[in-house]
Amino acid sequence: MDLHEHQRWTSSETEREGFGEHDWRRLLAHLGEDPNRQGLAETPKRVEKAWKHWTSGYQQNPAEILKAFEDGAEQYNELIVVRNIPVYSHCEHHLAPFFGTATIGYTPNGKIIGLSKLTRLVECFSRRLQVQERLTMQVAEALMTHVAPLSVGVVIRCRHMCMESRGIQATGEETVTSALLGEMRNSLGLRSEFLALAKN
């Protein structure tokens, strides 16, 4: 399944409605808990609501998020970089959280977007079941496709709970991924400038 197929796929109405609070109650019982005890009585409802939020990116369209405007853009053709964009997602292998920050940079080509749109773009793709590598590419490709800048750079740094809380239990390790598109891929100077600005 390629990046675009991952974005387009949607479950059937029956599949979406076939899983609910009663299934979370069954999971609690399967884990050896009493889903009726006071501390857990409302947990299925809370978890159902939480997962709707954590996966709300499937209902978002990056094309609508990245509406550009030209006012002032024709006078600016240097690199624009936004750092420390929060990333909260869940890995598709264990449904475990991974979290960190993203840095996004682009060189406008007659169009610019509001800076908050870059944060919303990250939310659009991170609020899905993900792997960090694909998340990085999806953010970069969406920006290149819908804004058509001269260059795009994305760097994401995350800690993965599937590594820290289970398996190898490597506490504190950070995974860094990057995507460079357009002129940034071929221009050493532009690439170096972006990567220098992307450093913590």
Side-chain angles (χ1 to χ4, degrees), residues 21 25 34-46:
E21 292 180 27
R25 291 176 61 83
D34 175 9
N36 296 311
R37 70 176 175 86
Q38 185 175 0
L40 293 176
E42 297 297 318
T43 296
K45 182 183 298 184
R46 296 189 191 103

Side-chain angles (χ1 to χ4, degrees), residues 89-110:
S89 192
H90 289 78
C91 83
E92 63 183 34
H93 302 135
H94 302 96
L95 304 187
F98 67 91
F99 59 91
T101 61
T103 296
I104 302 177
Y106 73 99
T107 309
N109 186 21

Side-chain angles (χ1 to χ4, degrees), residues 70-86:
E70 299 181 6
D71 184 26
E74 69 280 357
Q75 299 177 12
Y76 192 89
N77 58 3
E78 299 294 331
L79 191 59
I80 299 171
V81 177
V82 177
R83 302 192 305 181
N84 296 322
I85 299 171

